[in-house]
Each structure stands twice: as structure tokens, then as C-alpha cells.
Amino acid sequence: MNRRRCATAAITLVCALTVLASPGQAFAAPEPPPAAGPGAPKKSLEEVRLELDGLYRKASSATDAYNLAEEQADKQSAEIVKLAQEIVKGQARIDELKNRAGAAARAQYRDGGLPPEAQLVLTDDPQLFLDGAGRIQQGQKATKDLLGELTRTQADLASYTKDASAHWQKLEANRVKQAKAKKEINDRIAAAKKIEDRLEKEERERLLRLEQQAQYKAQTAWLSSGALKDVNSKSSVQGKKAIRFATAQIGKPYVWGAEGPGSYDCSGLTSQAWAAAGRGIPRTSQEQWRLLPRIAIKDMRPGDLIIYWADASHVGMYIGDGAIVHAPRPGRNVTIAGAGSMTILGVVRPDK
């Protein structure tokens, strides 16, 4: 199995590098699809490609929403657990303080129900009077401290309970978001699969060539723009580790919501690669774009993350020489592609 995966990865790598390093390469024009049946709308294979691309991009955006909701739900669950532990400790402390207050009341009852001040007035011994006065002051302070701590602990307990309720509401809201995003993902992927299943084997092969041609055209235009003219920075030590991890996953399938080890989605791959390098980063491409330091393209170096599309719904890791390693979409495997083969939103650096 490992040998087969290595062979697959090697073939993928060779094909990708051929596309990247051959700006003069030409693609044969794809043959037109067979005529549609009676009454069926006629679509060219290019129209089918664009439709599929739109569906998968929407699925990718929904995947980011799902992953973010899942991450937030996990955080809310952890907060609820911590608050529950604090509530238990707070209730135990209140019980202890009430027991102490009850013990003081019972002691006063055993002494005839007289307050300490009245008992002190009845003594004729000056030394006992002085000693008693000191004990009364200490007792009053202890009682005041006891009541103060009881009040604070009760207030803390009420606050913990309120916070736990708020976190629970957020948790439920995130679960609703997850369910909604999951349905959208499955609907988009099912719609795309339905379209692809109607294609003959030869059409699917031509469709793949069309995808490659579109990526090649975009990559060539990007390289021709001089985008990489001033890019010559070397990767950091952590960046090298992240690249080693990411490229070792080549050939593994894209699965939405997956973080390895057997499959990945786009941000699952990049977040796990940087985790393996010792640097935790946000789980989703949108959060990576929002929270990580941004870098100009001319300053990027291998290991940096390139964020794609206006909604930051895709991410790949720059590995140098105008290439990225990324998990493309459902039905595709982790692979190497041209960094300019999709619309770039910007670049972020996890270890800045």
C-alpha cells in the first residue's frame, strides 16, 4: 500500500512540475461533448466545468463555516466543563461556610444564648476582661470575614451559572450553524456528483484536461506578470518542517472537515502541517486570513500560506518555485499546483 501511494505521489509530482516548468506547453482542444438527449439543455463541457467549479467552491466555503462552527463548539464545550467544575467547587465552599456559621451559632447557644459582649460585662477579673475583649474582636473579624467570603462565593456561583448558560446558548447556536453548513456541503457535493455521474468516462477525462488547461492558463498569466520577480526568500526552520509534513501527504484524498492522518481538507492540511512544525494556527482558511500576519507576495517564502478567492475559502502552502501543495476539492487528492492557478487573495505567515 505504501509503495502504491509513493508511486501515485511521484506521478502526481512529475505531472504537476511539468505544468509548472513548461510555459510553452500547449493543450489539445477538448472535443465537444456528445449531443444531449431530446429535450435536455445542451451544455458544453466548459460550461459543465464552470458549473462544477462553482458548486465545489460553494461547498468549500460551507466547509470553512462548518469547521469554524465545530471549532467554536469545541471551545464552548470546554468552557462549560470548566464552569461546571467551578460551580461544583463553589457550592462545596458555600456548604463549608454555612457549616462554620452553624457551628458558631450552636456554640453561642451552648453558652446560654448570651452574646460574647454580655458575657464579658459579667466578669470581675480584669485579666479575663482584657483577654475576652481581644477574643471578641477576633471573633467579630472572623464572623465578618466569614460572611464576606460567603457573599463573594455566592456571587461567584451566580456568575459561573450565568456564564455557563451563555456558553450553552452559544454552543447550541454553533451546532445549528454546523448542521446548516453540513447540509449545504452535502447538497453541493451531491449536485456536483450527479453532474459528473452523467458524464461518460471519456468526458470525465476531457473535463480533467479542461481543469488542467484553466489552471495552466492562470498560472502562466501569473508568472508572466512578474509576480515572482523579487521572491527569493528562504524558508524558516519551522517552515521547512511544515513543508515536509504537507508534501508527505501528497496522494491522500480530500475529505471535507478532515484533519488527517488519512485525508484532509485544504485548511486541515495547512493547520496540521504547521502544528507538526510546532506552531498552532487557526483551523480554517478564513480565520488564517483574518488572524495571521499578512505578507506581500514579493516577500513570501516557502512555508507561507496563500489564501484564495474573495471569501478566503481556500488555502495552499507555498513551497517555492511558484508552486503550492494543497488539498483541492472533493474527488481530488492532495497535490502540487501552480500558486497562481487560482485567484489569490493574499499571503499570511504563521511564524512571523
Side-chain angles (χ1 to χ4, degrees), residues 12-13 47 107 153 155 213 225 235 240 244 283 292 299 315-316 338:
T12 303
L13 179 61
E47 289 174 323
T153 304
Q213 182 178 8
S225 72
S235 60
K240 289 178 181 177
R244 279 199 299 271
R283 167 66 177 88
L292 295 178
D299 297 322
V315 60

Side-chain angles (χ1 to χ4, degrees), residues 24-145:
Q25 180 181 352
F27 285 82
E31 301 170 21
K42 296 181 179 180
K43 287 186 179 180
S44 70
L45 205 54
E46 174 63 11
E47 289 174 323
V48 170
R49 183 190 72 79
L50 291 173
E51 185 177 1
L52 287 172
D53 186 58
L55 287 169
Y56 282 124
R57 281 184 57 191
K58 288 176 181 176
S60 178
S61 184
T63 297
D64 230 35
Y66 177 90
N67 289 336
L68 181 59
E70 182 179 48
E71 185 178 43
Q72 291 174 337
D74 289 343
K75 288 179 181 177
Q76 300 302 336
S77 296
E79 286 298 323
I80 289 171
V81 169
K82 287 196 295 185
L83 287 166
Q85 292 170 340
E86 292 299 327
I87 289 171
V88 170
K89 288 193 291 185
Q91 189 59 60
R93 184 59 177 158
I94 286 174
D95 292 343
E96 179 191 351
L97 293 170
K98 286 182 176 179
N99 287 336
R100 284 170 55 187
R106 288 191 296 274
Q108 181 174 318
Y109 177 79
R110 287 195 300 271
D111 290 336
L114 290 175
E117 294 84 349
Q119 296 179 28
L120 183 61
V121 170
L122 297 177
T123 184
D124 295 328
D125 188 325
Q127 186 59 49
L128 286 177
F129 182 87
L130 293 174
D131 292 344
R135 285 196 298 273
I136 287 173
Q137 287 181 334
Q138 291 174 355
Q140 289 174 336
K141 183 179 184 304
T143 300
K144 184 179 180 181
D145 291 347

Side-chain angles (χ1 to χ4, degrees), residues 20-323:
L20 291 169
S22 307
Q25 180 181 352
F27 285 82
E31 301 170 21
K42 296 181 179 180
K43 287 186 179 180
S44 70
L45 205 54
E46 174 63 11
E47 289 174 323
V48 170
R49 183 190 72 79
L50 291 173
E51 185 177 1
L52 287 172
D53 186 58
L55 287 169
Y56 282 124
R57 281 184 57 191
K58 288 176 181 176
S60 178
S61 184
T63 297
D64 230 35
Y66 177 90
N67 289 336
L68 181 59
E70 182 179 48
E71 185 178 43
Q72 291 174 337
D74 289 343
K75 288 179 181 177
Q76 300 302 336
S77 296
E79 286 298 323
I80 289 171
V81 169
K82 287 196 295 185
L83 287 166
Q85 292 170 340
E86 292 299 327
I87 289 171
V88 170
K89 288 193 291 185
Q91 189 59 60
R93 184 59 177 158
I94 286 174
D95 292 343
E96 179 191 351
L97 293 170
K98 286 182 176 179
N99 287 336
R100 284 170 55 187
R106 288 191 296 274
Q108 181 174 318
Y109 177 79
R110 287 195 300 271
D111 290 336
L114 290 175
E117 294 84 349
Q119 296 179 28
L120 183 61
V121 170
L122 297 177
T123 184
D124 295 328
D125 188 325
Q127 186 59 49
L128 286 177
F129 182 87
L130 293 174
D131 292 344
R135 285 196 298 273
I136 287 173
Q137 287 181 334
Q138 291 174 355
Q140 289 174 336
K141 183 179 184 304
T143 300
K144 184 179 180 181
D145 291 347
L146 179 65
L147 293 174
E149 185 175 357
L150 181 59
T151 301
R152 288 192 301 273
T153 304
Q154 287 174 327
D156 288 344
L157 190 59
S159 177
Y160 293 146
T161 304
K162 183 179 178 182
D163 288 347
S165 177
H167 281 294
W168 182 262
Q169 290 175 355
K170 290 179 181 177
L171 175 62
E172 289 303 302
N174 283 320
R175 284 175 174 164
V176 170
K177 289 179 184 177
Q178 275 184 276
K180 183 179 179 181
K182 182 176 182 179
K183 183 179 185 307
E184 183 175 356
I185 294 164
N186 288 331
D187 287 349
R188 302 296 184 188
I189 292 176
K193 189 174 186 304
K194 187 175 180 180
I195 292 172
E196 290 181 311
D197 286 346
R198 288 201 297 261
L199 299 176
E200 298 294 334
K201 180 181 177 182
E202 293 77 8
E203 289 180 298
R204 287 196 291 271
E205 290 172 353
R206 293 201 302 273
L207 181 65
L208 178 58
R209 289 201 298 271
L210 268 179
E211 287 181 12
Q212 292 172 339
Q213 182 178 8
Q215 292 167 5
Y216 171 80
K217 183 178 179 181
Q219 172 74 355
T220 301
W222 185 66
L223 292 175
S224 299
S225 72
L228 292 181
K229 184 178 65 174
D230 299 320
V231 177
N232 55 13
S233 299
K234 294 182 179 179
S235 60
S236 64
V237 173
Q238 282 187 308
K240 289 178 181 177
K241 291 180 181 178
I243 291 171
R244 279 199 299 271
F245 180 94
T247 53
Q249 313 313 310
I250 289 174
K252 294 181 179 180
Y254 176 106
V255 173
W256 68 265
E259 299 178 81
S263 57
Y264 297 88
D265 62 21
C266 66
S267 56
L269 177 65
T270 54
S271 60
Q272 288 302 304
W274 271 101
R279 179 63 65 96
I281 64 172
R283 167 66 177 88
T284 71
S285 58
Q286 291 175 346
E287 290 295 280
Q288 289 168 6
W289 173 243
R290 187 173 72 88
L291 297 174
L292 295 178
R294 297 181 185 180
I295 302 296
I297 289 179
K298 66 181 181 62
D299 297 322
M300 72 178 177
R301 67 191 186 195
D304 288 345
L305 305 181
I306 301 182
I307 310 296
Y308 293 95
W309 309 119
D311 60 356
S313 58
H314 190 71
V315 60
M317 179 179 293
Y318 185 62
I319 59 175
D321 296 325

